[in-house]
Amino acid sequence: MRRRRASPRRADVDGLRALAIALVVVYHVWSMRVSGGVDVFLMISAYFLTASFIRRAERGAPLRLGSYWLGRFRRLLPAAAVTLLGILALVWAFFPSAQWADLRRQTWASLFYVENWDLAASAVDYYARDTVLPSPLQHFWSLSVQGQVFVLWPLLILATLAIARRMSTSPRRALIVLFTAVFIASLTYSIITTATNQAFAYFDTFARLWEFSLGSLLALLAPWIRLRGVIAVILGWVGLTALILCGVLLDVQGGFPGYLALWPTLAAAAVIVSGDAAPHSGPARLLSTRPLQRLSGIAYALYLVHWPVLITYMLVTDSTQVGLLAGAGIIAVSIALASLITRAVEKPVQRALADAPQRRAVVAVIACVGLVAVPLASWQAAEAIRNAATASQTNPGAAVLYDPPAREPAPDAPLVPLGTDVGDEWVGLAGECAGELAPARSALEGTCVSTRTPHAQRTVLVAGDSHAQQWMGALEPLSEREGWQIVALLKAGCALAEDEKPVPGVEGCASWREAVLDYAADLQPDLVVLMATKSVPDDDDERMLRGVGRTIERLRQSGAPVLALRDNPRFDEDMFVCVEDNGRDDPVCSRDLADVMSAVNPASRLADEGVAVADLTAYLCPNGTCPAVIGGVVVYLDDNHLTRSYAQTLAPRVREEIARLTGW
């Protein structure tokens, strides 16, 4: 079949990209939904990239990958660097210090185009801090995926063209085969991963490659695609309508990037095909109008700035939704900032480097990285010095409740832990379970850790979910002082109780519990520690873990005494953030004991010979009130877990419970 000559740059496709970004902004601001515009944005970037490379290949011009990468990132980095620097300023000025460490890490990830992988890991990390609002850097995930493809695609194209030359095959046909294969493989992977782990798949580069492949195939097949005028017009308008309505009709956030993402990408493909066949009567004419072309010029910067402006506004106003007027203001501010960045940063840098030697472009890229890296690293270094100084401070924590010499720290003394250290407040033991401690069953793989205690006289087994894990903060000092070996079998969201349902999304809980019981029988520890109850936020319906009695009976068959712990209160908000927002003494960060715990410990009837039920509620909720700060130490690291710092101050009380049970 005779093919038509592919046209170079197309104004209507630029307009389509601008429309896609506009949809992203509008959907974000007024509905906090996802529009599918990002998927179109990714597809179009591959369309332009592939069209450029195939034109060079068919002319016989060298591809010059180094020059391409340098040119691409010298265009992308200036605006991105300025935006990241602005976000750092917003984080420092407005965001709780408990989020600083995560946001600084995400800034590094965004700067080096790996933010999507950071977010993917956080999406499946049970221990990641939950926040009411998303990160102001979250939108960098798509730019990271795009940056990775800007590196990968030219390499694939270069390798395929080399093979095509050896086989005397048309470069265009060879690339069609390549991207068809990538499309099929990636879409299949995307559908499977989205069905099994959508939260991870959403940020997974490999689950997105098919979208880029679709754009590449569109560029490669364009010369052979012929449509009659009427068909092209109808196809174009149907595609444009489908694109605009995508975010309304589909659950983009919860269902992408599987087969549902074919909706916006195929809709955009229909618009592109239509514009080539009917440039004057289809949507191409609308997309080529001056407003959309002007928006296209600032679309990249608009995407960069709108999200941090939106999230900061919602944080400052303590809102989760934006009204019509406020949303219009956010968009107006975002457009103004995008125009400023484009005119004052992006365009001047492009003009300055247009005909400059490559070494000057290299310097420009390094300067952009340094613009973010230097203040970011300096902030982290200053924070590390401050944290080291605070670490030498000793706040009594729970000791003010049981040790008369202990006194409350001065009102102006820093709280422990600092907000920037809250991410380190999960208890993690240093050693793997190796040698005699290594689990035999695969169900325990990756869930067993231990202290490195040479010549230990006693072994303490801690087993259960994150609430069992948090109490290791009280056991660690005892291990160090008395030479105990602590072995911990921990599975987040899976309490060690026979009939207790795991947290949604946690798999293999039943087999893990069985493996724990077998492990305990083989280990024959001197003591087993587990949770016995579960409290419910803002409800006195605290209950015993379902089936924990039968589980304890089976554990007792190993001959070890069992210490069953009563749960701590759980709340309806992040108590650490509450303290940061309102101060250590604000009553809004306290709860009445009767509102969060039962009047009587539901597990008290489990106490028996060889079984002790430890209730430390008096040291969490003294005098009938559950405060967020006791003795200068923040009690909770989130809405339901104790900080390691506070648990450590409870070590003497836990030691007393163990002594009563075991006689040690």
Side-chain angles (χ1 to χ4, degrees):
M1 179 184 293
R2 184 180 178 182
R3 61 184 176 91
R4 297 178 289 114
R5 185 177 180 179
S7 59
R9 196 80 179 189
R10 286 174 47 183
D12 64 310
V13 181
D14 283 329
L16 179 61
R17 180 167 57 180
L19 176 63
I21 297 301
L23 288 172
V24 170
V25 173
V26 168
Y27 274 77
H28 279 170
V29 169
W30 278 306
S31 68
M32 286 300 286
R33 288 175 62 93
V34 182
S35 65
V38 167
D39 303 84
V40 175
F41 177 74
L42 298 178
M43 188 196 79
I44 291 176
S45 66
Y47 173 86
F48 282 132
L49 183 158
T50 307
S52 171
F53 270 81
I54 192 59
R55 285 196 297 270
R56 295 180 65 86
E58 291 182 335
R59 292 200 311 266
L63 298 186
R64 302 185 186 277
L65 298 193
S67 298
Y68 168 78
W69 287 324
L70 191 58
R72 178 62 60 179
F73 287 104
R74 80 182 183 192
R75 177 188 176 279
L76 295 175
L77 274 172
V82 170
T83 302
L84 289 173
L85 195 61
I87 293 174
L88 284 178
L90 292 174
V91 168
W92 180 82
F94 298 110
F95 284 72
S97 61
Q99 297 181 31
W100 286 1
D102 286 343
L103 294 178
R104 287 193 299 239
R105 186 193 68 247
Q106 289 185 27
T107 303
W108 285 115
S110 299
L111 181 62
F112 292 105
Y113 291 89
V114 291
E115 169 70 343
N116 64 308
W117 294 117
D118 186 276
L119 292 172
S122 297
V124 296
D125 182 5
Y126 180 88
Y127 298 100
R129 287 186 62 81
D130 292 327
T131 55
V132 176
L133 294 174
S135 162
L137 292 148
Q138 182 165 304
H139 64 313
F140 269 85
W141 76 265
S142 62
L143 301 177
S144 296
V145 173
Q146 185 186 50
Q148 293 161 30
V149 170
F150 283 159
V151 173
L152 175 63
W153 244 228
L155 292 173
L156 291 178
I157 291 173
L158 184 66
T160 303
L161 293 179
I163 295 172
R165 282 194 298 270
R166 289 193 175 187
M167 299 179 64
S168 300
T169 302
S170 161
R172 189 176 292 265
R173 286 186 169 87
L175 291 176
I176 289 172
V177 172
L178 166 69
F179 290 119
T180 298
V182 174
F183 176 87
I184 294 171
S186 174
L187 181 57
T188 302
Y189 170 80
S190 182
I191 292 171
I192 295 172
T193 309
T194 301
T196 56
N197 193 353
Q198 190 273 334
F200 184 89
Y202 193 86
F203 302 111
D204 186 347
T205 300
F206 301 107
R208 297 277 181 177
L209 291 183
W210 68 266
E211 297 179 330
F212 293 92
S213 296
L214 182 59
S216 294
L217 288 171
L218 196 60
L220 293 167
L221 293 171
W224 286 291
I225 298 175
R226 291 186 176 184
L227 295 176
R228 293 183 178 180
V230 175
I231 295 176
V233 170
I234 295 173
L235 182 66
W237 286 113
V238 169
L240 189 64
T241 303
L243 174 59
I244 294 172
L245 294 178
C246 174
V248 174
L249 301 176
L250 298 182
D251 176 18
V252 177
Q253 183 77 35
F256 278 34
Y259 65 89
L260 288 179
L262 286 166
W263 179 306
T265 51
L266 289 178
V271 174
I272 293 173
V273 170
S274 168
D276 201 24
H280 302 297
S281 51
R285 186 172 182 177
L286 172 64
L287 296 172
S288 301
T289 56
R290 185 177 180 85
L292 280 174
Q293 293 304 302
R294 294 188 65 177
L295 183 61
S296 176
I298 65 167
Y300 173 56
L302 179 60
Y303 181 79
L304 287 172
V305 302
H306 86 281
W307 185 254
V309 170
L310 171 64
I311 296 302
T312 304
Y313 169 83
M314 296 174 75
L315 177 73
V316 171
T317 59
D318 193 24
S319 58
T320 55
Q321 292 183 334
V322 176
L324 185 62
L325 291 178
I330 290 170
I331 292 175
V333 169
S334 300
I335 290 175
L337 289 173
S339 299
L340 179 63
I341 291 175
T342 301
R343 294 175 182 174
V345 178
E346 187 178 350
K347 296 299 183 185
V349 171
Q350 287 183 32
R351 288 194 295 268
L353 298 176
D355 299 316
Q358 283 196 0
R359 63 178 179 273
R360 190 179 299 176
V362 172
V363 171
V365 169
I366 294 173
C368 289
V369 173
L371 182 67
V372 179
V374 170
L376 180 54
S378 300
W379 186 9
Q380 289 179 306
E383 201 70 61
I385 294 172
R386 176 172 174 256
N387 292 355
T390 306
S392 61
Q393 153 192 335
T394 303
N395 288 5
V400 298
L401 303 176
Y402 61 77
D403 186 5
R407 296 182 179 179
E408 288 278 359
D412 58 347
L415 293 176
V416 174
L418 295 173
T420 50
D421 287 339
V422 71
D424 298 324
E425 287 294 303
W426 284 105
V427 186
L429 303 183
E432 296 181 359
C433 294
E436 294 180 353
L437 298 178
R441 293 181 57 171
S442 60
L444 298 180
E445 184 178 352
T447 69
C448 187
V449 291
S450 67
T451 55
R452 295 171 178 169
T453 310
H455 312 297
Q457 298 300 310
R458 293 187 173 96
T459 299
V460 177
L461 175 63
V462 181
D465 59 5
S466 59
H467 277 248
Q469 178 178 354
Q470 67 183 353
W471 284 104
M472 291 197 306
L475 293 171
E476 273 186 315
L478 304 178
S479 169
E480 294 171 2
R481 185 170 67 242
E482 304 193 27
W484 297 350
Q485 172 86 58
I486 298 178
V487 180
L489 293 169
L490 304 169
K491 187 175 180 66
C494 180
L496 187 60
E498 188 172 309
D499 300 323
E500 186 69 22
K501 291 183 179 180
V503 169
V506 174
E507 298 179 353
C509 188
S511 58
W512 180 82
R513 288 169 179 158
E514 283 297 318
V516 169
L517 296 174
D518 290 343
Y519 183 91
D522 293 338
L523 181 65
Q524 294 190 330
D526 298 288
L527 175 67
V528 178
V529 180
L530 79 169
M531 299 304 299
T533 72
K534 181 176 182 178
S535 61
V536 180
D538 280 345
D539 194 338
D540 61 1
D541 188 27
E542 179 192 4
R543 60 175 175 79
M544 193 160 63
L545 291 172
R546 297 182 178 94
V548 70
R550 291 191 298 278
T551 298
I552 289 175
E553 289 177 7
R554 294 183 62 183
L555 286 169
R556 289 288 294 123
Q557 293 175 9
S558 70
V562 175
L563 183 66
L565 295 165
R566 187 182 187 184
D567 199 10
N568 55 272
R570 305 188 190 209
F571 307 95
D572 58 356
E573 66 173 311
D574 188 318
M575 301 302 280
F576 197 100
V577 172
C578 183
V579 171
E580 287 200 310
D581 290 344
N582 301 285
R584 68 181 75 190
D585 299 320
D586 197 311
V588 75
C589 299
S590 296
R591 299 289 187 276
D592 289 339
L593 173 60
D595 292 337
V596 292
M597 301 284 279
S598 296
V600 178
N601 183 357
S604 57
R605 64 178 182 271
L606 292 174
D608 198 356
E609 183 178 355
V611 180
V613 179
D615 185 353
L616 299 170
T617 305
Y619 305 108
L620 302 174
C621 304
N623 303 316
T625 301
C626 306
V629 177
I630 297 176
V633 180
V634 185
V635 181
Y636 306 97
L637 64 88
D638 51 25
D639 61 350
N640 72 104
H641 294 98
L642 302 178
T643 61
R644 181 181 199 161
S645 298
Y646 191 76
Q648 287 173 339
T649 69
L650 288 169
R653 300 282 70 81
V654 173
R655 183 66 180 88
E656 287 182 355
E657 297 289 340
I658 294 173
R660 277 195 287 268
L661 173 65
T662 63
W664 299 349

